[in-house]
Amino acid sequence: MDPLSAVTGTLGLFALVTLLGWPQIRAFVASQQHRRAALEQKKRDALNPPAVCQCGHARAFHAPAEVGAGACAAEVEVEGAPPRDCRCQQYVGPEPLPEFNV
């Protein structure tokens, strides 16, 4: 970096801090960090979709079992009739990625 660019950059930063004030600059930087964090969380959520079976129930309603043995334990509500058991026999949704707490 040449000295002229360094000097003009320093003067510009000084003028920015003087005109806007430190609290405004700090609030702007914090909002940018929150925006970036929200975008990263959105990307992570897109990579790990919710574990929902074709019946529309979560993976937790299906007992871990071999093929054909893990019936769904959720109840389905039908208008004008009492709730009945879901007829789904096996979880076939996406396998969730393992989560690690860092």
Side-chain angles (χ1 to χ4, degrees), residues 22-39:
W22 184 246
Q24 286 180 321
I25 293 172
R26 192 168 52 183
F28 173 76
V29 170
S31 69
Q32 292 297 313
Q33 289 174 342
H34 288 300
R35 185 182 63 82
R36 284 189 193 122
L39 287 173

Side-chain angles (χ1 to χ4, degrees), residues 57 61 72-78 82-86:
H57 299 118
F61 286 105
C72 183
E75 289 186 343
V76 178
E77 294 185 21
V78 180
R84 60 177 176 82
D85 291 336
C86 181

